[in-house]
Amino acid sequence: MRLRQIRLVRCLLAATALGAAGVVGGFTATPRPAAVAVPATAPLDFKLDPVHCMALFRIHHVGAGQFWGMFDQVGGTMTYAEDGRTAPTFDVTVQVESVHSGDDKLDRTIIGPQFFNAKEYETIRFVSTGGEAEGDGVWKVTGDFTMHGITKPVTARVEFTGLAGNPVQKKAGFEATFQVKRSDFGMDWGVKNKALGDDVRLVVGLEGDWTR
């Protein structure tokens, strides 16, 4: 019995040595090749399609309802890589006089000196400065936001909404949401007496055409 145990131990030791040498059952094991890093896809440039872009804003009115308005003249550029491995970049400009509230008289007030003062400050602009992924197709994008002649850093949550087309023509879409304080940009009418909220929520829908 002891002799059989010794022989079994010797067999196990021999099998272990062969396995370490890469030989199993008479065949030499082929080592796996090292993983090769796949390069990121080069970003594509897109020009914003003003027909399919818009910027919505929401503000608290007299401490009661949430009032919505819209700017419908939005232009600029953006870049995006099809593999989604790098954050998109944006340079977006909104024409202030394109505001729509549903009431012509109120529109004139919004673009007047108490608020946007469109005669002196014709545009609102956002230029991205960086970004990091928060999930699949979602980024936290930082940038410089200029309104009423004042520039402040903001952070937007940007969601990729789709890429369509073919090797010749492509369209890409994004939706960005962020919040600013009016008073930070010199528009503080109604803040102290709470006639109009200070916090403004913005939802910006963007669609661009690939520029080859």
Side-chain angles (χ1 to χ4, degrees), residues 87-104:
T89 65
F90 303 93
D91 186 345
V92 180
T93 298
V94 175
Q95 301 296 322
V96 171
E97 287 195 340
S98 70
V99 70
H100 289 291
S101 66
D103 183 89
D104 291 341

Side-chain angles (χ1 to χ4, degrees), residues 139 141 155-159 175-179 201-204:
W139 290 270
V141 176
T155 300
R157 181 185 186 274
V158 176
E159 179 182 354
E175 184 175 276
T177 58
F178 60 101
Q179 186 164 296
R201 178 177 175 82
L202 294 104
V203 180
V204 184

